Amino acid sequence: MGSAITPGHSRVVMKNPIVEMDGDEMTRVIWAMVKEQLLEPFIELALEPYDLHLPERDRTDDVVTTQAAEAIQRHRVGVKCATITPDAARVKEYNLKKAWPSPNGTIRAILDGTVFRKPIVIRTVPPMVRSWKKPIVIGRHAYGDVYRDVEMKIPGPGRVAMTYWPSDGGTGDTVLVHEFRGAGVVKGEHNTEKSIRSFARACIEYALSERLPEMWFAAKDTISKTYHAAFKDIFAEEVQARRADLDRSGVAYQYLLIDDAVARVMRHPGGFLWACRNYDGDLMSDMLASGFGSLGLMTSVLVSPDGNFEFEAAHGTVQRHYYQHLKGEPTSTNSTATIFAWTGALAKRGELDGTQDLVAFAHRLERAVIETIEEGIMTKDLAAIAEPRPAGHVTTEGFIMAIAERLHANVGAGAET
């Protein structure tokens, strides 16, 4: 499409690179379309690419995933396509050496930090829950717990214990996990005080920066009197340390039992941050995404304690649509969250580099997506729940092309952000 958008409007130049992580299945197809139609005509992209396609992860013994995470530590900003976490069926389908771990889990373990997931609110796509009027943001701890656990099958009767050996050679401690009278399973989870504190601090900073009136943290310390209670106590300490800032900004903090939080959120009008432990955040973010309209309308950003950012869509690889695509059948896959992953990364890159043109373009692209949907041009998932209902829906390609046309018109007209 050349080096200019329209006469007098040159492409935006990036000062520093973004770490690009390509992915799998239908989202990999969409990834290429978004770059070709919505980014490359408008930006002189500076990217450091890593291919997290499942066959490439297998070929490199998953080293490529670690390399991508380390690149984010160097460049501070990354954007990631959805990827497959293989199970036994995928190992067979792709003829893999083994069932490689979740790329997201690997990247989050290296970067640490907190994942913030926020619904993309569209005027014509009302939330499924009638009380929800404003976005509910999930702050998900991105380290440890079930995602870094160790597990063991127990073949028969016997005792399983958990032991701590101090590094200084001092007296340790052992607790009995269970005395098995037959076969079973067992697992051990862990977390670190440092990571929990960075999680609490990140949530506080987010609530302050977004000027949210409420921040929740929810766990189950009544049952888990040591593990969950540690999270509760550390959150309370960090909140107390920032009490003056929170009070000044009008941010109210409360701790809730997780079951109470789940019940309350269904009647809440929204507009607050809900901080969750790793697994709880995984579940609740998907629930909120669906409740606000679609998994395709959920942004996700990992914020590390040392100021690194990784943006991605909150949904998976859309396997069913990919198989249709391989058969040559038309698909109608929502690319909104993937586009917003790119706009989030571009805006953050521009913010860090002082490149306001890049920030402005990212906002302009987001507005073009929302205006396209609100005009009635949308994919099948949104057409089924939009009000008013559109006459029909467009294909995957048709949706991206409609956004591209609007974006060219907006940029050509010098639209303000």
Side-chain angles (χ1 to χ4, degrees):
M1 296 187 182
S3 60
I5 304 163
T6 56
H9 291 275
S10 300
R11 292 193 296 173
V12 176
V13 177
M14 290 174 58
K15 289 183 179 179
N16 291 297
I18 289 173
V19 178
E20 178 201 9
M21 294 159 280
D22 209 341
D24 291 303
E25 297 190 316
M26 197 62 203
T27 45
R28 185 180 181 91
V29 175
I30 289 171
W31 196 260
M33 293 182 192
V34 169
K35 285 179 63 179
E36 180 182 356
Q37 297 191 41
L38 302 181
L39 303 180
E40 290 171 350
F42 306 95
I43 307 171
E44 290 186 15
L45 291 170
L47 304 173
E48 184 168 320
Y50 292 85
D51 192 354
L52 302 191
H53 188 31
L54 186 51
E56 181 66 8
R57 281 182 271 148
D58 190 64
R59 186 188 70 81
T60 64
D61 292 336
D62 207 30
V63 171
V64 65
T65 306
T66 298
Q67 291 174 335
E70 291 171 346
I72 295 173
Q73 290 177 317
R74 291 195 303 274
H75 298 298
R76 300 188 64 190
V77 181
V79 60
K80 179 182 172 295
C81 182
T83 47
I84 295 169
T85 299
D87 56 12
R90 295 293 204 161
V91 170
K92 183 177 180 181
E93 178 184 357
Y94 283 88
N95 192 28
L96 304 177
K97 300 170 188 173
K98 59 182 284 188
W100 300 105
S102 161
N104 288 342
T106 298
I107 293 167
R108 290 168 188 167
I110 293 171
L111 297 181
D112 197 359
T114 300
V115 174
F116 293 101
R117 290 189 167 178
K118 181 179 181 181
I120 302 165
V121 176
I122 308 292
R123 178 176 49 82
T124 54
V125 184
M128 300 292 183
V129 179
R130 290 176 299 179
S131 61
W132 292 352
K133 307 299 181 185
K134 300 177 182 178
I136 298 170
V137 183
I138 292 290
R140 175 186 171 188
H141 190 205
Y143 177 81
D145 299 345
V146 68
Y147 300 88
R148 303 290 288 180
D149 71 2
V150 291
E151 303 177 346
M152 180 188 298
K153 283 187 177 181
I154 306 302
R159 307 174 81 189
V160 175
M162 184 167 60
T163 301
Y164 163 65
W165 293 286
S167 296
D168 62 7
T171 303
D173 194 14
T174 298
V175 295
L176 178 68
V177 174
H178 188 66
E179 184 165 349
F180 287 88
R181 304 195 182 281
V185 292
V186 67
K187 72 172 182 175
E189 297 183 9
H190 81 279
N191 224 293
T192 69
E193 180 178 334
K194 179 181 178 182
S195 183
I196 298 169
R197 286 198 185 279
S198 73
F199 167 46
R201 290 168 182 169
C203 289
I204 291 167
E205 288 294 342
Y206 186 94
L208 289 170
S209 66
E210 297 294 318
R211 296 192 173 276
L212 297 175
E214 291 183 61
M215 181 177 73
W216 297 1
F217 174 64
K220 193 71 171 178
D221 67 295
T222 52
I223 302 299
S224 178
K225 298 180 186 297
T226 300
Y227 198 103
H228 284 217
F231 278 81
K232 176 186 176 182
D233 293 344
I234 290 170
F235 246 89
E237 292 169 6
E238 293 298 330
V239 166
Q240 188 57 36
R242 299 295 301 277
R243 175 60 65 190
D245 294 330
L246 292 167
D247 289 346
R248 191 179 305 113
S249 297
V251 179
Y253 169 76
Q254 62 176 323
Y255 171 77
L256 298 167
L257 293 175
I258 187 66
D259 44 351
D260 186 22
V262 170
R264 288 195 190 190
V265 76
M266 301 307 292
R267 296 178 177 273
H268 200 285
F272 69 98
L273 171 64
W274 181 4
C276 294
R277 293 174 57 253
N278 208 345
Y279 183 64
D280 296 338
D282 192 1
L283 300 181
M284 294 302 107
S285 62
D286 278 6
M287 182 271 288
L288 287 170
S290 181
F292 272 97
S294 168
L295 282 170
L297 295 179
M298 177 70 86
T299 65
S300 181
V301 57
L302 171 67
V303 182
S304 76
D306 47 355
N308 300 317
F309 302 83
E310 183 227 9
F311 297 82
E312 62 179 336
H315 57 70
T317 58
V318 202
Q319 180 183 13
R320 181 172 58 86
H321 287 195
Y322 180 60
Y323 291 160
Q324 291 176 331
H325 171 77
L326 290 179
K327 295 176 184 176
E329 298 174 1
T331 61
S332 185
T333 313
N334 188 353
S335 55
T336 302
T338 296
I339 296 169
F340 272 65
W342 274 104
T343 58
L346 292 169
K348 180 56 65 176
R349 182 78 278 167
E351 175 188 322
L352 294 175
D353 296 346
T355 311
Q356 290 306 309
D357 285 352
L358 192 57
V359 177
F361 171 79
H363 294 164
R364 199 167 287 165
L365 175 52
E366 289 180 353
R367 191 170 70 248
V369 174
I370 292 172
E371 288 175 351
T372 298
I373 295 171
E374 291 183 344
E375 192 178 85
I377 302 171
M378 61 189 74
T379 48
K380 188 176 182 179
D381 62 321
L382 300 183
I385 57 175
E387 293 181 7
R389 291 283 181 93
H393 62 268
V394 295
T395 62
T396 306
E397 297 87 348
F399 181 59
I400 293 174
M401 287 176 61
I403 296 168
E405 290 175 4
R406 182 177 294 272
L407 187 58
H408 275 279
N410 287 350
V411 172
E416 297 298 325
T417 57

